[in-house]
Amino acid sequence: MNGLPEVTTGGGEPGSLRLVATLSLAGLLSGLIIVLAFETTLPTITAYKARMLREAVFNVLPSVTSLKRLVYRNGKLVETEDEQKGDQAIFSGYDQNGRLVGYAIPGAGPGFQDTIRLLYGYLPAERKVSGMEILESRETPGLGDKIYKDESFVSGFRSLAVDPEIRAVKKGKRTAANEIDAITGATISSKAVVRIINEANRQWLPRLEAAQPTVTGD
Amino acid sequence: MSRRKEDPHAEFIKGLWRDNPVFVQVLGMCPMLAVTNSAINALAMGGATFFVLVASSFLVSSLRQWIPRQVRISTYIIIIATFVTVTDFTLEALAPVVHKELGAFIPLIVANCMILGRQEAFASRNSVRLAVVDALGMASGFLFALFTLGAVREILGEGALFGVSLFGPDFEPWVIMILPPGGFLTLGLLLLFFSWLRERKQRLAIRLEELEAEPK
């Protein structure tokens, strides 16, 4: 509490050992604190993410009242709630009569700034996308963030044909069922969303067709 | 500026107003310009910076006798980075929506020169009490500046404050205000305003002196 303008460490230059020891100790303590904070907050964060994911399922699939979690393992779709690391999971949604409505498929890919994670609904009977929700993105505020803030862009995914593949076109130039109006000023972000869905489609649609041949029938 | 008398009140006011880190010292511009596109983001960023600065100043000042001069900057960075990481996790757990909005800017608080500057210039040479008061003042000043900028930009750029529409649907938002140029424009005008205030105060003081010195 002497309020000296200069810090004094008590005479002479400290040896290198002291310097190394100080930094090591600081690093060690810092590491411990960070691990502690990480471990404490992790359950809340993962629980929140899982809850948001499930809530999103109801937003991207119309009139769904219950859902099941499907995991792709050894070339087969398995229904399981048991979460494992590296699971490739999707959700199947059912209406109140227990009939399959469609699938909610998560996708991720590079956006304008960072990875965009999203979830979209797919109706196998109509081969259409039935809705899209952005789960995580760091797109430019005011421009790229319109991929979830701009209602007209989001609603464009409510009924969108997936064949041959989804295309983002200039605003107002939409002519076909597989085209969506890109956001003016956020073309890269719009195209990123479309590319993520197309890639997930290429990965999942063959699997779904192989697993559920009866669904497309009626 | 080099008063060495312990005057906590003055140290607090100094950060909040006279030496405001943003409007007077022009420090920490990167987060300042990047996250002030809405009032709520500005508040969250200000709050996170507030916690990191006060906690770091406290620790640096408490440990100032034990940190060798040669490795002081690295040690400060370790301390700051630890608090920032803890803040990042806590915010993600408690307020995931805000965390999502702020994105990369929370981790970037580590690189905020205002925080490191306070450790080097003040916390490492003053008592814990003064260091904390100084940090509280500077952090409040930073928060105040961020909020002013965020509010102005959101009102003009979106016609809203805290997401509540102010002018009705007929208002044509000035989109430029929430884009990066809007940050520079608003900051420039605010800096101008604060310089004008300062100059005016100096002029008044000189006038007053002249009046007093004038013979009857």
Side-chain angles (χ1 to χ4, degrees):
Chain A
M1 304 283 153
N2 47 15
L4 280 177
E6 200 61 45
V7 184
T8 46
T9 44
E13 293 277 294
S16 350
L17 199 66
R18 166 113 198 273
L19 303 185
V20 173
T22 310
L23 280 183
S24 316
L25 191 69
L28 188 75
L29 286 177
S30 152
L32 275 178
I33 296 172
I34 289 175
V35 168
L36 197 72
F38 179 76
E39 291 290 334
T40 330
T41 51
L42 189 64
T44 328
I45 294 170
T46 34
Y48 173 80
K49 280 193 176 156
R51 202 174 70 238
M52 288 319 284
L53 187 63
R54 278 168 188 265
E55 271 173 26
V57 172
F58 294 99
N59 294 340
V60 297
L61 284 171
S63 62
V64 161
T65 54
S66 65
L67 56 88
K68 283 183 187 151
R69 185 171 176 273
L70 301 176
V71 178
Y72 191 73
R73 273 186 202 142
N74 311 321
K76 267 190 289 192
L77 274 175
V78 193
E79 188 197 312
T80 172
E81 289 295 319
D82 166 41
E83 293 194 19
Q84 281 178 21
K85 228 181 163 182
D87 265 355
Q88 294 192 330
I90 60 168
F91 296 92
S92 54
Y94 304 86
D95 65 13
Q96 49 201 11
N97 303 323
R99 273 165 41 107
L100 179 79
V101 177
Y103 301 97
I105 307 173
F112 186 59
Q113 290 187 359
D114 202 347
T115 304
I116 299 177
R117 284 184 52 237
L118 56 79
L119 184 82
Y120 65 97
Y122 170 67
L123 305 177
E126 302 168 41
R127 292 190 65 79
K128 271 185 176 171
V129 168
S130 62
M132 181 277 299
E133 189 162 314
I134 303 287
L135 301 170
E136 208 177 303
S137 77
R138 289 181 181 172
E139 301 304 285
T140 322
L143 289 175
D145 67 352
K146 285 189 184 158
I147 56 174
Y148 58 92
K149 284 187 174 160
D150 185 342
E151 185 47 35
S152 71
F153 179 71
V154 175
S155 65
F157 287 93
R158 299 247 162 84
S159 176
L160 189 62
V162 298
D163 297 307
E165 66 166 18
I166 304 169
R167 269 162 37 88
V169 294
K170 231 182 166 146
K171 193 155 189 141
K173 294 268 165 69
R174 181 174 187 272
T175 48
N178 66 331
E179 289 178 342
I180 182 149
D181 286 334
I183 302 163
T184 315
T187 320
I188 295 176
S189 303
S190 317
K191 285 196 167 157
V193 171
V194 167
R195 194 177 57 239
I196 293 167
I197 298 185
N198 279 332
E199 268 167 26
N201 274 341
R202 269 197 290 281
Q203 185 187 18
W204 281 101
L205 297 199
R207 292 177 182 177
L208 291 174
E209 273 155 32
Q212 304 267 353
T214 50
V215 175
T216 42
D218 68 337
Chain B
M1 275 244 240
S2 56
R3 282 163 304 130
R4 285 268 70 96
K5 228 177 68 191
E6 289 211 4
D7 184 357
H9 187 69
E11 297 296 353
F12 182 79
I13 294 299
K14 167 194 77 180
L16 189 62
W17 191 258
R18 210 191 65 224
D19 288 348
N20 185 293
V22 174
F23 294 138
V24 181
Q25 300 184 56
V26 201
L27 285 177
M29 286 298 106
C30 163
M32 178 80 210
L33 293 164
V35 301
T36 53
N37 46 27
S38 77
I40 187 79
N41 284 1
L43 270 189
M45 185 66 188
T49 313
F50 191 102
F51 168 73
V52 173
L53 178 54
V54 174
S56 306
S57 278
F58 171 75
L59 207 60
V60 165
S61 178
S62 322
L63 298 176
R64 69 189 190 283
Q65 312 289 353
W66 290 284
I67 300 173
R69 262 180 49 76
Q70 290 83 346
V71 292
R72 66 188 191 284
I73 302 286
S74 340
T75 317
Y76 301 161
I77 300 259
I78 293 178
I79 292 175
I80 296 168
T82 311
F83 283 119
V84 168
T85 316
V86 170
T87 313
D88 193 28
F89 290 145
T90 315
L91 204 64
E92 191 171 4
L94 296 182
V97 181
V98 175
H99 183 266
K100 200 170 144 185
E101 284 280 314
L102 292 181
F105 289 104
I106 294 287
L108 279 176
I109 296 177
V110 179
N112 189 325
C113 50
M114 190 258 295
I115 297 184
L116 189 61
R118 285 337 283 166
Q119 312 312 320
E120 171 71 359
F122 200 92
S124 59
R125 352 185 135 187
N126 283 286
S127 69
V128 177
R129 196 169 76 111
L130 267 195
V132 168
V133 171
D134 168 77
L136 283 173
M138 284 291 164
S140 311
F142 192 68
L143 185 74
F144 162 69
L146 279 179
F147 178 71
T148 313
L149 216 71
V152 169
R153 290 178 66 188
E154 191 181 350
I155 290 171
L156 294 179
E158 303 222 33
L161 189 60
F162 290 114
V164 181
S165 178
L166 293 178
F167 310 121
D170 290 336
F171 178 73
E172 180 65 34
W174 309 5
V175 180
I176 191 172
M177 294 310 280
I178 49 172
L179 296 181
F184 285 103
L185 275 176
T186 319
L187 181 65
L189 291 174
L190 282 171
L191 285 177
L192 191 70
F193 173 70
F194 273 82
S195 307
W196 174 76
L197 267 189
R198 244 197 338 273
E199 223 169 72
R200 183 165 159 268
K201 210 174 144 193
Q202 277 168 2
R203 261 207 319 274
L204 282 178
I206 293 172
R207 276 275 302 280
L208 214 65
E209 265 174 38
E210 281 173 359
L211 278 180
E212 276 171 10
E214 228 168 64
K216 292 267 159 77

